[in-house]
Amino acid sequence: LKKLELFNGLSTEELQEIKAIMQEKNYAKNEMIFMEGAEANNFYIILTGLVKVFKTDEQGREKTLSLLGNKDFFGEMALLDNNSRSASVQAIDESKIFKISRKKFKRLVTEYPEISLKIIATLSQRLRNSNQQIQNLTFKQVKGRLLDSLKQLADKYGVEQENGILINKKITHQELANLVGTTRATITKLLGELIEEDKVEIKNRYLILKK
Ligand code: CMP
């Protein structure tokens, strides 16, 4: 718990109290955590793994809103605005996740203003990202959007290498397509171009964003 940014600055006793209200659960790769529109009963914090937050249209096409990993939280929106789930969340890698019930989450945010402020800061950051996405989807070509997405992934999950930054999560072309807002075939073609241009390298199925 000490490693979770959300609980920074709390005393050992306070952390112990919070630990007691958490439930740990393992999700398999591709397991659904909840669906958009569902009734909301829990708040979630990712210990390890990777989940995608996404929306689906009538034709079954998916748009990934965000990929969330270690120490990220989700499921706060529906609990805070008393509405149904605003998007679906699925584990796309094996994930270990803490769960807190609606009632206990409400108590946490009313009793600990530091926690509330951190949640608000994260919501602001996510709104910033969404605004950037709106701008990119409105004005940028697919290739520019792909490069931006790769940079964001490198910022979040990157490991420094001699020749660039390795994105330390295995992300399929289909997942990249859902994130960027295009088709898998286009991603495959554009990655080929970026490799030609020496902007990207693939090593053991990991992407490296070159210097
Ligand atoms: P909730 O609406 O309860 O369920 C879906 C969750 O996905 C939502 O809470 C947020 O935690 C998360 N979420 C929704 N939209 C975004 C976004 N644009 N970026 C990151 N996370 C999001």
Coordinates of all heavy atoms in Angstrom, one line a residue, residues 34 40 42-43 53-54 65-68 73-79 81 83-89 123 126-127 129-130 133, ligand 1:
F34 N -15.8 -5.1 -15.8 CA -17.2 -4.7 -15.8 C -17.5 -4.1 -17.2 O -16.6 -3.7 -17.9 CB -17.6 -3.8 -14.7 CG -16.8 -2.5 -14.5 CD1 -16.9 -1.5 -15.5 CD2 -15.9 -2.4 -13.5 CE1 -16.1 -0.3 -15.3 CE2 -15.2 -1.2 -13.3 CZ -15.3 -0.2 -14.2
A40 N -22.7 0.2 -10.6 CA -21.4 0.2 -10.0 C -21.4 -0.1 -8.5 O -22.1 0.5 -7.8 CB -20.8 1.6 -10.3
N42 N -18.1 -1.1 -7.0 CA -16.7 -1.1 -6.4 C -15.8 -0.1 -7.1 O -16.0 0.4 -8.2 CB -16.1 -2.5 -6.7 CG -16.8 -3.6 -5.9 OD1 -16.7 -3.6 -4.7 ND2 -17.5 -4.4 -6.6
F43 N -14.7 0.2 -6.3 CA -13.6 1.1 -6.8 C -12.4 0.1 -6.9 O -12.3 -0.8 -6.1 CB -13.4 2.2 -5.7 CG -12.1 3.0 -6.0 CD1 -12.1 3.9 -7.0 CD2 -11.1 2.9 -5.1 CE1 -10.9 4.7 -7.2 CE2 -9.9 3.7 -5.3 CZ -9.9 4.6 -6.3
V53 N -9.6 0.6 -20.9 CA -10.9 1.3 -20.7 C -11.4 1.6 -22.0 O -10.7 2.2 -22.8 CB -10.7 2.6 -19.9 CG1 -12.1 3.3 -19.7 CG2 -10.1 2.4 -18.5
F54 N -12.6 1.1 -22.4 CA -13.1 1.3 -23.8 C -14.6 1.4 -23.9 O -15.3 1.1 -23.0 CB -12.6 0.1 -24.6 CG -13.2 -1.3 -24.3 CD1 -14.2 -1.8 -25.0 CD2 -12.8 -2.0 -23.2 CE1 -14.8 -3.0 -24.7 CE2 -13.3 -3.2 -22.8 CZ -14.3 -3.7 -23.6
L65 N -10.2 4.1 -24.6 CA -10.0 5.5 -24.0 C -8.7 5.6 -23.3 O -8.1 6.7 -23.4 CB -11.2 5.8 -23.1 CG -12.6 5.7 -23.6 CD1 -13.6 5.9 -22.5 CD2 -12.8 6.7 -24.7
S66 N -8.3 4.5 -22.7 CA -7.0 4.6 -22.0 C -6.6 3.2 -21.6 O -7.4 2.3 -21.5 CB -7.2 5.4 -20.7 OG -6.0 5.6 -20.0
L67 N -5.3 3.0 -21.5 CA -4.7 1.8 -20.9 C -4.2 2.2 -19.6 O -3.5 3.2 -19.4 CB -3.5 1.3 -21.8 CG -3.9 0.8 -23.2 CD1 -2.6 0.5 -24.0 CD2 -4.8 -0.3 -23.2
L68 N -4.6 1.4 -18.6 CA -4.2 1.7 -17.2 C -3.3 0.5 -16.6 O -3.6 -0.6 -16.9 CB -5.4 1.9 -16.3 CG -6.4 3.0 -16.7 CD1 -7.6 3.0 -15.8 CD2 -5.7 4.4 -16.7
F73 N -5.8 3.7 -10.7 CA -7.1 3.3 -10.2 C -8.2 3.5 -11.3 O -8.0 4.3 -12.2 CB -7.5 4.0 -8.9 CG -7.6 5.5 -9.0 CD1 -8.7 6.1 -9.6 CD2 -6.6 6.4 -8.6 CE1 -8.8 7.5 -9.7 CE2 -6.6 7.7 -8.7 CZ -7.8 8.3 -9.3
F74 N -9.4 2.9 -11.1 CA -10.5 3.1 -12.0 C -11.8 2.7 -11.3 O -11.8 2.1 -10.2 CB -10.4 2.3 -13.3 CG -10.3 0.8 -13.1 CD1 -11.4 0.1 -13.2 CD2 -9.1 0.2 -12.9 CE1 -11.4 -1.3 -13.0 CE2 -9.0 -1.2 -12.8 CZ -10.2 -2.0 -12.8
G75 N -12.9 3.2 -11.9 CA -14.2 2.8 -11.3 C -14.7 3.9 -10.3 O -15.7 3.7 -9.7
E76 N -14.0 5.0 -10.3 CA -14.4 6.1 -9.3 C -15.5 6.9 -9.9 O -16.4 7.4 -9.1 CB -13.2 7.0 -9.0 CG -12.8 8.0 -10.1 CD -12.3 7.4 -11.4 OE1 -11.9 6.2 -11.4 OE2 -12.3 8.1 -12.4
M77 N -15.6 7.0 -11.2 CA -16.6 8.0 -11.8 C -18.1 7.6 -11.4 O -18.8 8.5 -10.9 CB -16.5 8.0 -13.3 CG -15.3 8.8 -13.8 SD -14.9 8.7 -15.5 CE -16.4 9.3 -16.3
A78 N -18.4 6.4 -11.7 CA -19.8 6.0 -11.4 C -20.2 6.1 -9.9 O -21.3 6.3 -9.5 CB -20.1 4.6 -11.9
L79 N -19.1 5.9 -9.1 CA -19.4 6.0 -7.6 C -19.5 7.5 -7.2 O -20.3 7.8 -6.3 CB -18.2 5.4 -6.8 CG -18.0 3.9 -7.1 CD1 -16.9 3.4 -6.1 CD2 -19.3 3.0 -6.9
D81 N -20.5 10.1 -9.3 CA -21.6 10.8 -9.9 C -22.9 10.0 -9.9 O -23.9 10.3 -10.5 CB -21.3 11.3 -11.3 CG -21.2 10.2 -12.4 OD1 -21.4 9.0 -12.1 OD2 -20.9 10.6 -13.6
N83 N -24.0 7.2 -11.1 CA -24.5 6.8 -12.4 C -24.0 5.4 -12.7 O -23.3 4.8 -11.9 CB -24.0 7.9 -13.4 CG -24.9 8.0 -14.6 OD1 -25.5 7.0 -15.0 ND2 -24.9 9.2 -15.2
S84 N -24.3 4.9 -13.9 CA -23.8 3.6 -14.3 C -22.4 3.7 -14.8 O -21.9 4.8 -15.0 CB -24.7 3.0 -15.3 OG -24.8 3.8 -16.4
R85 N -21.7 2.6 -15.1 CA -20.3 2.6 -15.6 C -20.3 3.4 -16.9 O -21.0 3.1 -17.8 CB -19.8 1.2 -15.8 CG -19.7 0.4 -14.5 CD -18.7 1.0 -13.5 NE -18.4 0.1 -12.4 CZ -17.7 0.5 -11.3 NH1 -17.3 1.8 -11.2 NH2 -17.5 -0.3 -10.3
S86 N -19.3 4.3 -17.0 CA -19.2 5.2 -18.2 C -18.5 4.5 -19.3 O -18.6 4.9 -20.5 CB -18.5 6.5 -17.8 OG -17.1 6.1 -17.5
A87 N -17.8 3.4 -19.0 CA -17.1 2.6 -20.1 C -16.9 1.2 -19.5 O -17.1 0.9 -18.4 CB -15.7 3.3 -20.3
S88 N -16.4 0.3 -20.4 CA -16.1 -1.0 -20.1 C -14.6 -1.1 -19.7 O -13.8 -0.3 -20.2 CB -16.4 -2.0 -21.2 OG -17.7 -2.0 -21.6
V89 N -14.3 -2.1 -18.8 CA -12.9 -2.3 -18.4 C -12.6 -3.8 -18.5 O -13.3 -4.6 -18.0 CB -12.6 -1.7 -17.0 CG1 -11.1 -1.9 -16.7 CG2 -12.9 -0.2 -16.9
L123 N -8.2 12.8 -12.1 CA -9.4 13.1 -13.0 C -9.0 14.3 -13.9 O -9.3 14.3 -15.1 CB -10.6 13.5 -12.2 CG -11.3 12.3 -11.6 CD1 -12.5 12.7 -10.7 CD2 -11.9 11.4 -12.7
R126 N -6.7 13.1 -16.6 CA -7.4 12.3 -17.6 C -8.2 13.2 -18.5 O -8.3 12.9 -19.7 CB -8.3 11.3 -16.9 CG -7.5 10.2 -16.3 CD -8.3 9.1 -15.5 NE -7.4 8.2 -14.9 CZ -7.8 7.2 -14.1 NH1 -9.1 7.1 -13.8 NH2 -7.0 6.4 -13.5
L127 N -8.7 14.3 -18.0 CA -9.5 15.2 -18.8 C -8.5 15.9 -19.8 O -8.8 16.1 -21.0 CB -10.2 16.3 -17.9 CG -11.1 17.3 -18.7 CD1 -12.2 16.6 -19.5 CD2 -11.8 18.2 -17.7
N129 N -5.8 14.6 -21.0 CA -5.5 13.6 -22.0 C -6.6 13.5 -23.0 O -6.4 13.4 -24.2 CB -5.2 12.2 -21.4 CG -3.9 12.2 -20.6 OD1 -3.1 13.1 -20.8 ND2 -3.8 11.2 -19.8
S130 N -7.9 13.5 -22.5 CA -9.0 13.4 -23.4 C -9.1 14.6 -24.3 O -9.4 14.5 -25.5 CB -10.3 13.3 -22.6 OG -10.3 12.1 -21.9
Q133 N -6.7 14.1 -27.0 CA -7.2 13.1 -27.9 C -8.2 13.7 -28.9 O -8.2 13.4 -30.0 CB -7.9 12.0 -27.1 CG -7.0 10.8 -27.0 CD -7.8 9.5 -26.7 OE1 -8.7 9.2 -27.5 NE2 -7.5 8.8 -25.7
Ligands
CMP1 P1 -16.5 4.3 -14.2 O1 -17.4 5.2 -15.0 O2 -17.0 4.0 -12.8 O3 -16.2 3.0 -15.0 C1 -15.3 3.1 -16.1 C2 -14.0 3.7 -15.6 O4 -13.1 3.9 -16.6 C3 -14.3 5.1 -15.1 O5 -15.1 5.0 -13.9 C4 -12.9 5.7 -14.9 O6 -12.3 5.2 -13.8 C5 -12.2 5.0 -16.2 N1 -12.2 6.0 -17.3 C6 -13.3 6.5 -18.0 N2 -12.9 7.3 -19.0 C7 -11.5 7.4 -18.9 C8 -10.5 8.1 -19.6 N3 -10.8 8.9 -20.6 N4 -9.2 7.9 -19.2 C9 -8.9 7.1 -18.2 N5 -9.8 6.4 -17.5 C10 -11.1 6.5 -17.8

